[in-house]
């Protein structure tokens, strides 16, 4: 496939000296243009973007700075924290176990993790953990600093936590708890940690530069995360709850993070920990490759990750609500993946990546998704977090450009 090599100087004064590199197939140049526009007219500091179609790379670009203050450039092998994009990787581990018959996602969690039945959670199923209806989106008791980096501490606390609602009857984003909830089931069934299982069954077979628990040897390649600047006034109900309702699910999810937010984003301790909801470290190339395999029915270029029938069940909408009890916006979830949440007509935060697709967003704006209809795997990562609960203008600009290309092809 013919591609254009990319070497473009960034024009924004604060990014002087920064460049975008990589390559792009000619028909996808509008998507490359949107990537450049993010640097020229938005808050982008450093980012990567990749798209595969039919198992072949059609876009692979990166640019800007991995650390703006030191002017460290974003290189071809730069990786970074992708926050809740990690949930899709964690969910995929559970579905791989289901595909092999070791796990039934409609079985009670307590069948695999007996301690989890405490405090009225005996009827919670694995599917409820995956689709955010289990009722354990946050912990009520404040976590000591560093607790988030201790797997046993967090899984024990969650096993002993009472649900916020009758499990299975409501939906509330399990923003940080998802990783230990699903990950502990994976650990008990597989007999190895979530991060090791992901490496063995997904990352190595597909050749992904994607880690849930980063080895110290890879640390020099990690981009520095710059958190979003807090808004002067709450922009929406979620931010209002964080500001004014300390006992709310929204506030506890956002603030009771045991050392993760924001000091853990750039710490060696945070990168090394297996934080299965938010701590994954990768780049757009690897996100796109993982989703490319899913867009092709679970197999990419002869490497089978998961059976097509299992994948189809995993990607079906499993829970939906007009007001998520944590995010306070309409949400739609499959079993561990997000489905399109296009709330733009209501003036609310959205995850508008195509109704045919399934994937996940990450805090600050990163995104990965698969489209079986178009045989597309998409990945976008960045290090300057934007405002909003779900996606912001940068990822939305990229997905709109991509679907525009696909509509014309």
């Amino acid at each position: 496939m013919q591609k254009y090599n990319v070497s473009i100087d960034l024009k924004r004064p604060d990014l002087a000296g920064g460049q975008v590199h990589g390559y792009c197939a000619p028909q996808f140049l509008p998507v490359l243009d949107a990537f450049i526009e993010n640097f020229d007219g938005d808050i982008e500091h450093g980012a990567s973007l990749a798209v595969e179609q039919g198992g072949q790379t059609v876009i692979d670009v990166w640019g800007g700075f991995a650390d703006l203050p030191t002017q460290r450039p974003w290189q071809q092998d730069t990786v970074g924290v992708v926050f809740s994009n990690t949930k899709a990787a964690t969910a995929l581990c559970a579905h791989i176990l289901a595909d092999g018959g070791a796990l039934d996602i409609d079985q009670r969690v307590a069948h695999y993790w007996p301690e989890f039945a405490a405090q009225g959670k005996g009827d919670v199923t694995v599917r409820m953990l995956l689709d955010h209806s289990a009722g354990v989106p946050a912990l009520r008791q404040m976590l000591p600093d560093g607790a988030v980096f201790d797997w046993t501490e967090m899984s024990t606390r969650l096993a002993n936590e009472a649900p916020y609602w009758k499990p299975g009857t409501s939906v509330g984003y399990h923003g940080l708890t998802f990783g230990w909830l699903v990950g502990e089931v994976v650990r008990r069934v597989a007999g190895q940690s979530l991060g090791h299982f992901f490496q063995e069954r997904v990352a190595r077979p597909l050749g992904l530069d994607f880690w849930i628990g980063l080895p110290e040897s890879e640390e020099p390649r990690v981009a520095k995360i710059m958190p979003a600047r807090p808004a002067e006034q709450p922009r929406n109900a979620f931010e209002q709850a964080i500001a004014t309702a300390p006992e709310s699910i929204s506030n506890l999810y956002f603030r009771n993070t045991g050392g993760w937010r924001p000091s853990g984003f750039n710490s060696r301790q945070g990168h090394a920990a297996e934080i299965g909801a938010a701590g994954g470290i990768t780049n757009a190339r690897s996100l796109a490759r993982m989703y490319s395999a899913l867009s092709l029915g679970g197999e990419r270029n002869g490497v089978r990750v998961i059976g097509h029938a299992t994948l189809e069940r995993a990607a079906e909408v499993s829970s939906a609500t007009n007001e998520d009890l944590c995010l306070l916006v309409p949400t739609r979830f499959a079993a561990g993946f997000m489905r399109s949440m296009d709330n733009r007509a209501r003036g609310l935060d959205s995850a508008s990546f195509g109704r045919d697709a399934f994937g996940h967003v990450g805090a600050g704006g990163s995104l990965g998704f698969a489209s079986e209809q178009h045989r597309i795997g998409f990945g976008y990562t960045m290090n300057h977090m934007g405002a909003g609960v779900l996606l912001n203008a940068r990822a939305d600009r990229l997905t709109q450009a991509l679907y525009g290309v696909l509509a014309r092809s």
Side-chain angles (χ1 to χ4, degrees), residues 153-288:
E153 171 85 2
M154 293 302 296
S155 59
T156 300
R157 284 176 177 264
L158 285 164
N160 293 324
E161 185 74 19
Y164 279 80
W165 60 82
K166 183 180 178 181
T169 64
S170 295
V171 182
Y173 188 53
H174 289 48
L176 198 56
T177 61
F178 180 101
W180 298 287
L181 293 171
V182 177
E184 181 65 6
V185 173
V186 170
R187 188 187 73 82
R188 291 187 177 230
V189 173
Q192 59 186 145
S193 76
L194 171 67
H196 281 91
F197 184 85
F198 177 72
Q199 280 297 308
E200 183 179 294
R201 300 294 296 273
V202 182
R204 289 196 194 110
L206 288 175
L208 308 184
D209 202 356
F210 194 159
W211 309 87
I212 305 174
L214 186 77
E216 190 167 7
S217 60
E218 310 302 316
E219 190 68 32
R221 300 193 289 121
V222 181
K224 185 175 182 179
I225 295 293
M226 179 175 289
R229 180 178 298 177
E232 293 183 5
Q233 298 293 330
R235 301 179 312 111
N236 50 47
F238 176 73
E239 292 181 2
Q240 184 70 30
I242 292 171
T244 63
E247 301 301 319
S248 68
I249 293 171
S250 304
N251 187 292
L252 290 169
Y253 149 62
F254 190 81
R255 298 196 185 280
N256 189 20
T257 63
W260 173 241
R261 188 191 305 273
S263 60
F265 298 174
N266 295 311
S267 72
R268 174 63 201 142
Q269 188 178 23
H271 297 166
E274 295 187 9
I275 302 175
I281 294 177
T282 189
N283 52 29
R285 184 180 308 110
S286 292
L287 269 183

Side-chain angles (χ1 to χ4, degrees), residues 43-65:
I43 64 171
E44 203 78 278
H45 286 173
S48 63
L49 168 68
V51 178
E52 288 197 5
Q53 185 173 43
Q56 300 299 312
T57 301
V58 295
I59 303 175
D60 184 2
V61 290
W62 60 90
F65 295 102

Side-chain angles (χ1 to χ4, degrees), residues 34-186:
F35 185 69
I36 300 300
E37 185 180 349
N38 283 345
F39 285 97
D40 288 345
D42 215 316
I43 64 171
E44 203 78 278
H45 286 173
S48 63
L49 168 68
V51 178
E52 288 197 5
Q53 185 173 43
Q56 300 299 312
T57 301
V58 295
I59 303 175
D60 184 2
V61 290
W62 60 90
F65 295 102
D67 184 358
L68 184 60
T70 67
Q71 301 283 285
R72 174 164 61 97
W74 192 295
Q75 306 277 13
Q76 184 174 6
D77 67 346
T78 295
V79 291
V81 179
V82 293
F83 298 102
S84 287
N85 284 290
T86 317
K87 290 183 176 68
T90 297
L92 181 56
C93 291
H95 290 301
I96 289 170
L97 289 171
D99 191 52
L103 174 67
D104 178 356
I105 69 168
D106 290 311
Q107 176 63 267
R108 294 176 180 180
V109 175
H111 177 77
Y112 307 104
W113 179 7
E115 300 91 331
F116 188 77
Q119 300 284 355
K121 301 193 301 301
D123 289 334
V124 174
T125 65
V126 177
R127 183 184 295 276
M128 292 177 195
L129 301 184
L130 288 162
D131 71 10
H132 302 270
S133 66
V136 199
L139 288 160
R140 295 172 177 84
Q141 183 177 355
M142 296 306 295
L143 294 167
D145 192 43
V148 73
F149 310 124
D150 185 331
W151 186 280
T152 301
E153 171 85 2
M154 293 302 296
S155 59
T156 300
R157 284 176 177 264
L158 285 164
N160 293 324
E161 185 74 19
Y164 279 80
W165 60 82
K166 183 180 178 181
T169 64
S170 295
V171 182
Y173 188 53
H174 289 48
L176 198 56
T177 61
F178 180 101
W180 298 287
L181 293 171
V182 177
E184 181 65 6
V185 173
V186 170

